Amino acid sequence: MRSTRDFLTGLLTGVAIGILTAPRSGKETREKLVDEANKRSEDLKDQFGKVKEQAGQYVDQAKDQFGKVKEQANQYVGQVKDQASQLVGQAKDQLNQAKGQAQSEFDAHKYEAKADYNNAVDDAADSAKSGINSVKESVKVD
């Protein structure tokens, strides 16, 4: 961009010097300067139009690329969400299984503990009854 600007500056300077040093009348020189200025201004407008068109193309390309990247990102996010949902579901299933096993073991041990307690109470009652019967036997007077 800088080289184009330098070139145009040099070109305009050369033209201006050439026109100003040419052997013409003031009116002819002014007309020639106006003609050259108009011609150069049209050239600059044409170049500006081309640059503007190229910039528009680059913007369109950038928009297309951004759209593609955005679409890929959305697909990736969707995949991650799906995988996360599956993992959460699996974790819930495993948690429910562990909870069920823990409840089963608790119930099994609860009944064992209850049975052991009842057996101990029955043994204590039998021992007490046996002791009472022994005492009755020993206190009995014939």
Side-chain angles (χ1 to χ4, degrees), residues 8-27:
L8 289 175
T9 302
L11 181 68
L12 290 175
T13 303
V15 168
I17 290 172
I19 291 172
L20 291 174
T21 58
R24 289 192 187 102
S25 69
K27 184 177 181 183

Side-chain angles (χ1 to χ4, degrees), residues 21-37:
T21 58
R24 289 192 187 102
S25 69
K27 184 177 181 183
E28 288 177 355
T29 302
R30 284 191 298 273
E31 287 175 359
K32 185 75 172 169
L33 282 174
V34 168
D35 288 343
E36 286 296 320

Side-chain angles (χ1 to χ4, degrees), residues 1-11 47:
M1 188 72 168
R2 180 171 163 79
S3 62
T4 303
R5 187 180 68 200
D6 291 344
F7 173 74
L8 289 175
T9 302
L11 181 68
Q47 286 184 350

Side-chain angles (χ1 to χ4, degrees), residues 17-88:
I17 290 172
I19 291 172
L20 291 174
T21 58
R24 289 192 187 102
S25 69
K27 184 177 181 183
E28 288 177 355
T29 302
R30 284 191 298 273
E31 287 175 359
K32 185 75 172 169
L33 282 174
V34 168
D35 288 343
E36 286 296 320
N38 286 337
K39 185 178 176 182
R40 300 298 173 214
S41 122
E42 289 299 320
D43 290 343
L44 288 175
K45 285 181 184 176
D46 289 343
Q47 286 184 350
F48 178 74
K50 289 177 184 176
V51 168
K52 186 177 176 183
E53 184 180 327
Q54 283 181 338
Q57 290 173 354
Y58 290 140
V59 167
D60 290 343
Q61 288 176 351
K63 284 180 182 179
D64 289 344
Q65 287 293 85
F66 178 76
K68 290 176 184 177
V69 169
K70 182 179 175 184
E71 184 178 329
Q72 289 174 345
N74 286 337
Q75 288 175 352
Y76 180 72
V77 167
Q79 290 173 350
V80 169
K81 282 182 180 179
D82 291 344
Q83 289 175 350
S85 294
Q86 289 175 353
L87 290 174
V88 167

Side-chain angles (χ1 to χ4, degrees), residues 129-140:
K129 190 174 182 181
S130 173
I132 291 173
N133 285 339
S134 294
V135 168
K136 275 186 185 178
E137 288 286 323
S138 55
V139 175
K140 228 184 209 183

